[in-house]
Amino acid sequence: MSYFSHPSTSNNYIVSTKYIFVTGGVTSSLGKGIICASLGRLLTARGLNVTIQKLDPYINVDPGTMNPYEHGEVYVTDDGAETDLDLGHYERFLDLPTSQQNNVTTGRIYYDVIKKERKGAYLGKTIQVVPHITDEIKSRVRTLGETGHYDVVIVEVGGTVGDIEGLPYIEAVRQMRYDVGRRNSLSIHLTLVPYLKAAGEVKTKPTQHSVKMLQESGLMPDILVCRAEVPLEPGIRRKIAQFCNVEVEDVIASLDASSIYEVPLLMLEEGLDRRVIEKLDIPDRGEPDLQGWKTFVQAVQQPESTVEIALVGKYVEHHDAYMSIVEAFIHAGAVNRAKVRIRWVQSEDLTASNVAERLGKVSGVLVAPGFGGRGIDGKLAAVEHARVNDIPFFGICLGMQCAVIEFARNRCGMEGANSAEFDSATPFPVIDIMPEQKNIKNMGGTMRLGKYDCHLEEGTRAHTAYGAADISERHRHRFELNNELRDQLETCGLRVSGTNPDRGLVEIVEIPENRWFVGVQFHPELKSTVSKPHPLFVDFVKAALEFQADR
Ligand code: GLN
């Protein structure tokens, strides 16, 4: 149900949803996703129903086929969409699931327009960027608004103003502002106000140029969010306002924060949410309720202890590849009043002879998800080290598969046990390709993706951690624990603690004799949010703290 009692009418459309378009200028990596998520949090805390959509100008249909070095983590939604990692921020900040609809790419837009053209949907017409591509973009944005679930849709336009591939999006936004009317839409521009040390001054020129470029495309920003290293003095704010045609209250400073979770509080201080509701004619029902959020931020900023956990993976030079795991550790740390320090361990460099030194003194080992054989031996060495020395261990997806391989080889005497992903001729394919995956030729969107149910066995770690018997988690993989070898593995002491009730697939394994040894076929990190830290991460960090205290 929408919060607004009287939908306003403007131009051709009846509008009950407000749209906020967020563009970025000057440079990439200014944290547009965090600004969108923070604004979303503030509006949600004012009682509004909010969702956030990301428009990605690249030509891939989705980021699922991109290398993590290229794109960072692929974030998977409940409905199995492989999406941009900013959607992870949206979910973590808003505590609301996103879906395929929340991520639009140029690839998908063109793909669908071309499919329609082949079907004859535009018969007789020449297909053009304007209006066909822009119409398709607009219809994707409106789809979310028209569900009737949201008072506000925040639309993050990926890339930087001036990028060639971003032009159709800017044009679509320009048109949408006309379609829905000025009172129902807002343009926020995120820009950089650099501080030049040699001159001892902050510089407004890049912002002026960026706004000018936006205006050349017909888009007038209503609010400027200025990323800056130093506070913006009133004189600078006035100058930006004057040269960029906004009011001085619409110049919002976004200073570097110690944690991304502090940003909503900084934006509140700057009055971003207030300006937004004023400009959009949203009734002010009082200050946002951020009590829980503040308590969380305080717990993050003032931990009572620190615990070091190794993250073993092959993309560790690029922390964005493990974004949701890093954030899940922050959430779980806060619950345990502790800071989790991650020791990034490159699996490719790890061998049986250096593992004790590389993983020396850590209080927990997490073996990360991944694809392909590179770094597998190092991951197996990490599993063995954790298992034999009874260090709390958490294996996620490929990490769980490595735990099963290591257990099969070293505890069940299955020499040469492996995953069919790395050795198709292995005598013991303890991890095997799912039958329905065998004949799949296309790479995009064809894995076991999205939300699946899982039933937990009583008396297991997983059951205790979740405090429930039936859960659901998100997946992204092609391979599975081989049920034909399951009995053999269980006889040697591996416990299957979670299975998919529909297909009997193994989702969680544990070694009960170890203090905390859990491997999960799914991706728990994708569901950890500020208000609902993931139970397995919380329990793992707790076990790591106990191990640290015992040692
Ligand atoms: N490569 C493995 C599979 O496809 C694991 C995937 C993952 O870790 N996400 O099953």
Side-chain angles (χ1 to χ4, degrees):
M1 245 326 266
S2 184
Y3 179 93
F4 307 113
S5 42
H6 303 289
S8 49
T9 315
S10 149
N11 303 332
N12 302 324
Y13 298 96
I14 308 244
V15 175
S16 60
T17 301
K18 310 277 184 179
Y19 295 90
I20 302 174
F21 299 99
V22 182
T23 53
V26 184
T27 168
S28 58
S29 304
L30 290 182
K32 225 184 309 151
I34 300 296
I35 292 295
C36 290
S38 299
L39 176 59
R41 178 73 251 166
L42 292 177
L43 297 178
T44 305
R46 282 177 172 274
L48 296 163
N49 291 321
V50 182
T51 191
I52 313 178
Q53 185 180 44
K54 173 92 191 264
L55 307 180
D56 272 315
Y58 52 71
I59 298 169
N60 300 61
V61 172
D62 62 42
T65 55
M66 283 188 227
N67 188 318
Y69 287 119
E70 191 82 22
H71 186 268
E73 171 185 276
V74 173
Y75 189 79
V76 180
T77 55
D78 275 343
D79 64 347
E82 296 179 281
T83 72
D84 186 77
L85 51 71
D86 274 325
L87 272 77
H89 291 312
Y90 308 161
E91 290 205 10
R92 289 186 282 272
F93 277 57
L94 267 60
D95 196 25
L96 268 182
T98 53
S99 74
Q100 178 69 73
Q101 292 180 341
N102 293 74
N103 197 187
V104 172
T105 66
T106 298
R108 192 170 291 280
I109 295 283
Y110 272 81
Y111 193 62
D112 289 352
V113 167
I114 291 168
K115 269 196 303 195
K116 278 195 216 166
E117 186 270 342
R118 292 289 82 184
K119 279 192 185 151
Y122 311 100
L123 227 43
K125 292 269 185 297
T126 307
I127 321 280
Q128 292 178 303
V129 172
V130 182
H132 301 100
I133 297 298
T134 46
D135 278 355
E136 190 70 26
I137 295 172
K138 288 198 294 175
S139 94
R140 298 302 169 105
V141 175
R142 252 190 253 115
T143 301
L144 275 176
E146 285 167 1
T147 57
H149 296 139
Y150 306 110
D151 304 307
V152 179
V153 178
I154 299 174
V155 181
E156 176 183 351
V157 184
T160 307
V161 166
D163 294 348
I164 293 175
E165 53 275 52
L167 287 173
Y169 291 94
I170 301 292
E171 171 59 15
V173 170
R174 187 195 69 74
Q175 291 183 19
M176 260 204 84
R177 294 215 59 189
Y178 172 80
D179 294 345
V180 302
R182 300 232 140 237
R183 278 305 193 191
N184 295 316
S185 69
L186 204 61
S187 160
I188 297 182
H189 189 56
L190 176 62
T191 131
L192 178 70
V193 180
Y195 173 74
L196 287 196
K197 221 196 266 164
E201 311 181 330
V202 295
K203 291 291 177 191
T204 64
K205 205 45 91 51
T207 295
Q208 293 180 41
H209 281 299
S210 181
V211 170
K212 203 182 223 172
M213 202 177 313
L214 201 56
Q215 286 172 340
E216 276 167 16
S217 306
L219 203 57
M220 299 284 227
D222 302 292
I223 294 176
L224 295 174
V225 177
C226 305
R227 277 301 303 271
E229 276 172 73
V230 296
L232 298 183
E233 302 302 332
I236 292 292
R237 291 181 191 247
R238 275 199 300 277
K239 187 172 173 190
I240 294 173
Q242 185 184 32
F243 285 99
C244 299
N245 288 317
V246 295
E247 288 173 51
V248 74
E249 293 78 17
D250 298 326
V251 177
I252 304 289
S254 169
L255 299 185
D256 295 347
S258 63
S259 152
I260 55 170
Y261 298 106
E262 212 191 333
V263 178
L265 305 178
L266 297 176
M267 291 301 99
L268 177 73
E269 260 171 54
E270 283 283 311
L272 176 62
D273 57 320
R274 177 161 300 284
R275 289 308 278 170
V276 165
I277 64 162
E278 281 168 9
K279 285 174 182 294
L280 287 174
D281 275 345
I282 295 175
D284 186 356
R285 300 193 180 164
E287 284 300 297
D289 175 7
L290 288 162
Q291 208 36 55
W293 193 272
K294 284 183 184 158
T295 310
F296 165 75
V297 172
Q298 209 172 17
V300 171
Q301 288 174 335
Q302 294 160 11
E304 285 163 10
S305 58
T306 300
V307 62
E308 194 177 23
I309 292 180
L311 192 158
V312 183
K314 65 174 169 178
Y315 308 111
V316 291
E317 299 80 14
H318 192 50
H319 296 185
D320 277 5
Y322 304 107
M323 175 85 78
S324 293
I325 294 179
V326 174
E327 300 306 325
F329 272 134
I330 295 176
H331 309 154
V335 176
N336 285 289
R337 311 279 323 167
K339 177 184 166 55
V340 176
R341 195 168 50 230
I342 296 179
R343 187 187 299 180
W344 298 92
V345 180
Q346 172 54 259
S347 51
E348 247 190 322
D349 300 342
L350 218 48
T351 62
S353 48
N354 68 16
V355 66
E357 173 242 324
R358 297 280 163 100
L359 298 182
K361 294 211 172 69
V362 294
S363 302
V365 174
L366 183 145
V367 175
F371 294 84
R374 183 165 69 87
I376 290 298
D377 289 341
K379 286 187 171 177
L380 294 172
V383 175
E384 184 175 1
H385 178 78
R387 183 180 59 77
V388 171
N389 296 291
D390 200 12
I391 303 168
F393 170 87
F394 197 9
I396 298 183
C397 208
L398 179 61
M400 171 267 203
Q401 298 175 354
C402 287
V404 174
I405 297 167
E406 193 278 332
F407 192 85
R409 288 184 189 174
N410 299 331
R411 282 285 303 273
C412 308
M414 298 185 192
E415 207 179 312
N418 214 331
S419 163
E421 182 177 9
F422 317 124
D423 177 6
S424 54
T426 169
F428 300 104
V430 283
I431 305 294
D432 203 0
I433 189 136
M434 286 178 271
E436 69 270 29
Q437 289 284 336
K438 279 199 173 129
N439 296 319
I440 287 177
K441 298 273 179 304
N442 282 350
M443 295 302 272
T446 54
M447 285 186 253
R448 183 180 180 213
L449 286 167
K451 182 169 124 169
Y452 286 90
D453 291 339
C454 176
H455 179 74
L456 306 176
E457 297 303 319
E458 255 175 67
T460 59
R461 268 276 167 207
H463 190 275
T464 312
Y466 280 97
D470 293 291
I471 55 147
S472 75
E473 291 283 359
R474 297 183 193 166
H475 292 248
R476 181 172 189 254
H477 55 103
R478 291 186 204 281
F479 295 80
E480 287 289 345
L481 190 143
N482 184 348
N483 265 331
E484 284 174 21
L485 296 172
R486 175 177 160 175
D487 283 352
Q488 247 174 291
L489 291 162
E490 289 200 281
T491 311
C492 309
L494 193 73
R495 174 99 199 251
V496 171
S497 56
T499 47
N500 172 262
D502 304 316
R503 300 175 52 196
L505 297 171
V506 173
E507 312 285 39
I508 314 180
V509 297
E510 303 183 8
I511 301 180
E513 74 203 41
N514 277 40
R515 61 171 75 221
W516 208 98
F517 192 105
V518 178
V520 294
Q521 186 56 80
F522 47 79
H523 290 269
E525 71 276 18
L526 302 177
K527 281 183 60 171
S528 189
T529 72
V530 167
S531 44
K532 292 195 197 82
H534 196 284
L536 285 176
F537 275 88
V538 172
D539 209 43
F540 177 49
V541 171
K542 183 164 161 262
L545 281 161
E546 284 165 7
F547 178 63
Q548 173 169 268
D550 288 354
R551 201 164 38 185

